[in-house]
């Protein structure tokens, strides 16, 4: 039986996190709920961020704004915030914003995160998601660019900042669906990302790998947080019942924020010329400095020549950085007990009430995600002490994520009905035409499929453009018509490395 919180708290009112759910969603026991407004004092800087994000992206889904702020804190923490609940309990978070193209403005909303980090001059933390896993590992191992000696002072300063946190990175991926699809190809160049992302979330002391051509590469104190955007088309394949990504632990480590269908906002954009709130920027910069910034110097590499003289090696440098600092959060009254109660309740729900067995892994990691969020909020605004209101806010966010998880699973495993999953129907229609040796126009698809007949042609073209960005559809201008087809399957090539001995 779940015990109640200390008598100084009265968790009797359903918080804003709780929304109306269907019968497949097991509700959290009432004694674990907090009063409305109890968690507000944990969200001062978060409120500043949300207000600005809503101004820039008024049609963004409500939970996109708060999740982007949490993702930004996780990225900025750079493995410097530790929770005393295990040797490797740090604060990485991975999350995906999922919505149909043109709805909920997921990319516009994530752009705010990048803009805020740029304004704080902390955008050097962000890594391009277009990197191959091999290049990412190479950079995170502390490799100094060969052209370092040719850089100007500003560029060298920027590079030293990056090298001081070489093993810690953040990813903001506007087209994460395409990235995951490439990751799932067994012989593709991004396959290694599967194991890399899983191990980064575990925060092991080192991550080491090596090949014959690159040699052994070691990442010290690896840390990777990410936030990406996906469309329902991407997710339906990857999150359907019994999908591989449930079994290997990938989905359990990722929070998916998925709006209910048909709940988009209609809020035309105004010209936004307001600056990012200075208090928001100042709070983030001050936090980054409090967590500690290791110094880093870059040294020329020397080797002995045939005469035994030490000479510089062209284009070869090494970085010498201080130890990565870390702060350890402490717990206020009732926090650890609240975490235990939530953890036990979620596990009990997963074992006895959860209809979808694929989601058990996600449930198992919810309490860990919540404690990571609570630690980030407490470190940002409360001198690294987690109070019950920080935990309350973290639990509310994770409960919203739990609702989204069920929505994702429902949308990924529901057959087509009129007015929903139009992108999937478009894909099937193009397949139908292609089986007949034809490349249809939008008009021809509407004439053939009655479920598309009453859809706006502009909406259909927007959806098809998104499918093109996901490498699912090819768009061609043939004569005066725009026609659509399926891409020709790519033949993956595998680089074979070899070494030769004389």
């Amino acid at each position: 039986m779940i015990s109640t919180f200390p008598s100084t708290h009265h968790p009797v009112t359903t918080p804003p996190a709780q929304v109306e759910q269907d019968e497949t969603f097991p509700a959290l026991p009432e004694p674990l709920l907090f009063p409305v407004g109890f968690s507000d004092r944990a969200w001062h800087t978060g409120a500043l961020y949300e207000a600005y994000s809503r101004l820039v992206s008024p049609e963004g889904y409500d939970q996109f704004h708060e999740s982007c702020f949490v993702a930004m804190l996780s990225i900025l923490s750079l493995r410097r915030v530790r929770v005393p609940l295990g040797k490797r309990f740090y604060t990485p978070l991975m999350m995906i914003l999922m919505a149909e193209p043109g709805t909920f403005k997921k990319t516009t909303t994530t752009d705010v995160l990048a803009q805020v980090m740029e304004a704080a001059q902390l955008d050097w933390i962000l890594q391009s998601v277009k990197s191959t896993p091999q290049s990412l590992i190479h950079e995170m191992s502390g490799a100094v660019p060969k052209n370092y000696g040719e850089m100007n002072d500003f560029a060298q300063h920027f590079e030293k900042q990056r090298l001081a946190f070489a093993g810690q990175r953040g990813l903001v991926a506007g087209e994460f669906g395409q990235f995951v699809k490439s990751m799932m190809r067994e012989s593709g160049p991004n396959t290694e990302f599967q194991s890399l992302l899983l191990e980064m979330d575990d925060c092991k002391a080192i991550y080491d790998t090596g090949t014959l051509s690159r040699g052994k590469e070691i990442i010290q104190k690896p840390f990777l947080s990410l936030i990406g955007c996906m469309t329902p088309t991407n997710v339906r394949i990857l999150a359907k019942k019994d999908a591989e990504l449930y079994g290997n632990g990938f989905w359990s480590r990722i929070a998916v924020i998925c709006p209910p269908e048909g709940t988009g906002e209609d809020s035309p954009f105004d010209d936004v010329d307001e600056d990012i709130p200075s208090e928001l920027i100042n709070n983030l910069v001050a936090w980054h400095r409090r967590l500690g910034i290791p110094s880093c110097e870059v040294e020329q590499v020397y080797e002995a020549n045939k005469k035994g003289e030490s000479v510089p090696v062209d284009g070869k440098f090494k970085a010498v950085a201080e130890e990565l600092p870390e702060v350890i959060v402490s717990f206020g009254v009732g926090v650890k007990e609240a975490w235990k109660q939530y953890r036990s309740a979620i596990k009990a729900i997963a074992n006895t009430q959860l209809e979808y067995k694929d989601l058990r892994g996600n449930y198992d990691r919810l309490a860990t995600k919540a404690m990571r969020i609570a630690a980030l909020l407490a470190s940002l605004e409360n001198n690294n002490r987690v109070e019950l209101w920080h935990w309350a806010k973290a639990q509310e966010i994770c409960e919203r994520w739990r609702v989204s998880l069920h929505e994702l699973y429902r949308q990924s495993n529901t057959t087509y009905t009129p007015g929903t999953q139009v992108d999937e129907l478009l894909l099937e229609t193009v397949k139908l035409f292609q089986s007949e040796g034809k490349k249809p126009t939008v008009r021809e698809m509407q004439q053939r499929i009655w479920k598309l007949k009453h859809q706006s042609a502009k909406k259909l073209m927007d959806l098809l453009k998104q499918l093109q960005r996901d490498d699912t559809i090819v768009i061609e201008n043939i004569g005066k018509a725009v026609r659509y087809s399926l891409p020709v399957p790519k033949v993956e090539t595998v680089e074979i490395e070899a070494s030769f001995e004389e």
Side-chain angles (χ1 to χ4, degrees):
M1 183 174 177
I2 306 296
S3 61
T4 57
F5 289 99
S7 58
T8 52
H9 305 290
H10 306 281
V12 294
T13 306
T14 302
Q18 304 302 310
V19 298
E20 184 177 349
Q21 292 99 28
D22 60 33
E23 64 277 4
T24 67
F25 183 87
L28 198 65
E30 187 174 327
L32 271 66
L33 306 180
F34 289 87
V36 174
F38 178 72
S39 65
D40 287 354
R41 57 193 296 190
W43 200 245
H44 175 72
T45 306
L48 293 173
Y49 179 93
E50 278 197 274
Y52 180 74
S53 184
R54 286 193 173 91
L55 185 67
V56 175
S57 182
E59 293 183 341
Y61 181 49
D62 254 5
Q63 293 175 36
F64 287 175
H65 302 292
E66 78 172 5
S67 294
C68 282
F69 177 72
V70 170
M72 182 174 64
L73 294 189
S74 178
I75 291 170
L76 289 175
S77 69
L78 293 169
R79 196 181 165 130
R80 291 174 293 173
V81 179
R82 183 160 74 84
V83 182
L85 291 174
K87 292 182 179 179
R88 301 195 305 267
F89 202 126
Y90 295 90
T91 55
L93 290 168
M94 295 188 284
M95 57 192 75
I96 291 172
L97 312 184
M98 200 278 279
E100 288 187 355
T103 64
F104 299 107
K105 304 301 178 185
K106 53 188 183 296
T107 303
T108 305
T109 310
T110 53
D111 283 346
V112 177
L113 182 158
Q115 292 167 16
V116 171
M117 290 188 65
E118 182 181 7
Q121 298 183 6
L122 295 170
D123 52 322
W124 52 267
I125 299 169
L126 300 178
Q127 181 79 26
S128 171
V129 77
K130 296 180 180 178
S131 301
T132 64
Q134 294 78 21
S135 64
L136 178 61
I137 291 169
H138 182 65
E139 290 189 24
M140 292 180 71
S141 67
V144 182
K146 292 181 179 180
N147 66 337
Y148 178 84
E150 303 169 6
M151 296 178 179
N152 59 33
D153 290 344
F154 177 80
Q156 288 188 351
H157 172 72
F158 178 89
E159 194 60 34
K160 287 178 183 178
Q161 280 187 312
R162 186 189 68 80
L163 289 166
F165 294 96
Q168 300 78 46
R169 283 290 179 271
L171 296 178
V172 179
E175 300 295 338
F176 193 68
Q178 185 175 348
F179 167 79
V180 176
K181 283 167 60 181
S182 68
M183 184 184 75
M184 294 301 293
R185 295 173 185 151
E186 291 185 4
S187 59
N190 288 330
T191 303
E192 193 177 349
F193 264 124
Q194 287 194 54
S195 61
L196 178 63
L197 292 177
L198 298 183
E199 292 202 41
M200 289 290 175
D201 187 70
D202 291 339
C203 291
K204 295 180 179 179
I206 62 170
Y207 178 90
D208 66 273
T209 185
T211 65
L212 292 174
S213 65
R214 298 199 316 268
K216 195 173 185 64
E217 292 177 312
I218 298 175
I219 303 175
Q220 300 288 345
K221 297 186 176 181
F223 179 93
L224 188 65
S225 291
L226 69 85
I227 183 165
C229 301
M230 293 181 74
T231 66
T233 302
N234 303 139
V235 178
R236 285 186 197 114
I237 299 169
L238 300 170
K240 63 183 179 181
K241 189 177 185 296
D242 299 324
E244 178 185 348
L245 293 181
Y246 290 117
N248 68 11
F250 180 82
W251 280 129
S252 67
R253 287 169 169 82
I254 291 183
V256 180
I257 298 86
C258 177
E261 293 172 313
T263 59
E265 296 285 339
D266 181 11
S267 181
F269 286 81
D270 292 324
D271 291 333
V272 180
D273 56 4
E274 291 192 28
D275 293 332
I276 300 171
S278 59
E279 185 181 0
L280 169 60
I281 299 301
N282 293 339
N283 289 353
L284 295 174
V285 171
W287 181 49
H288 172 61
R289 290 173 179 168
R290 286 199 309 272
L291 291 177
I293 304 172
S295 65
C296 178
E297 296 299 329
V298 175
E299 300 177 354
Q300 175 75 58
V301 173
Y302 288 79
E303 291 181 358
N305 62 13
K306 293 181 180 179
K307 297 179 181 180
E309 300 169 333
S310 182
V311 295
V313 181
D314 288 341
K316 196 169 184 180
F317 304 88
K318 66 177 180 179
V320 181
E322 290 181 337
E323 185 78 8
L324 186 71
E326 65 179 41
V327 300
I328 303 175
V329 300
S330 60
F331 298 126
V333 176
V335 173
K336 201 166 183 179
E337 181 64 22
W339 168 71
K340 289 179 180 179
Q341 291 181 15
Y342 181 69
R343 183 176 182 273
S344 296
I346 288 297
K347 283 181 173 292
I349 289 172
N351 290 331
T352 62
Q353 302 179 49
L354 189 58
E355 179 178 337
Y356 308 136
K357 304 308 179 187
D358 283 334
L359 306 185
R360 281 183 174 174
N362 301 72
Y363 269 59
D364 189 57
R365 292 182 178 273
L366 270 172
T368 296
K369 291 183 177 74
M371 184 56 83
R372 289 176 179 179
I373 296 170
L376 290 168
L377 296 175
S379 180
L380 174 67
E381 295 185 341
N382 199 49
N383 197 29
N384 303 308
R385 183 173 175 81
V386 183
E387 300 291 357
L388 201 55
W389 48 86
H390 299 114
W391 171 260
K393 173 59 73 174
Q395 179 180 294
E396 289 171 12
I397 291 171
C398 280
E399 282 297 284
R400 284 190 272 273
W401 288 354
R402 188 162 70 95
V403 173
S404 277
L405 174 66
H406 281 255
E407 181 66 25
L408 162 74
Y409 198 77
R410 186 190 66 77
Q411 290 185 23
S412 301
N413 292 280
T414 301
T415 56
Y416 178 81
T417 55
T420 65
Q421 302 180 3
V422 180
D423 50 357
E424 190 173 76
L425 181 60
L426 281 169
L427 184 59
E428 293 302 317
T429 304
V430 173
K431 287 181 182 178
L432 174 64
F433 274 92
Q434 191 143 323
S435 69
E436 301 169 353
K438 302 174 183 177
K439 297 179 179 181
T441 64
V442 167
R443 181 174 178 80
E444 288 168 348
M445 286 189 273
Q446 288 180 303
Q447 290 172 338
R448 180 78 170 267
I449 306 297
W450 71 268
K451 292 177 181 177
L452 296 176
K453 189 172 184 178
H454 300 292
Q455 296 286 339
S456 154
K458 181 180 183 305
K459 176 183 176 180
L460 296 181
M461 286 188 285
D462 287 343
L463 290 171
L464 286 160
K465 286 179 182 178
Q466 179 62 49
L467 291 170
Q468 180 192 41
R469 288 193 288 270
D470 294 336
D471 287 338
T472 308
I473 287 290
V474 174
I475 301 177
E476 301 175 90
N477 291 307
I478 301 177
K480 296 183 179 180
V482 179
R483 297 188 175 275
Y484 303 87
S485 61
L486 301 179
V488 177
K490 295 180 180 179
V491 178
E492 301 288 357
T493 59
V494 180
E495 180 182 353
I496 300 176
E497 299 174 339
S499 64
F500 300 91
E501 297 181 359
E502 297 181 357

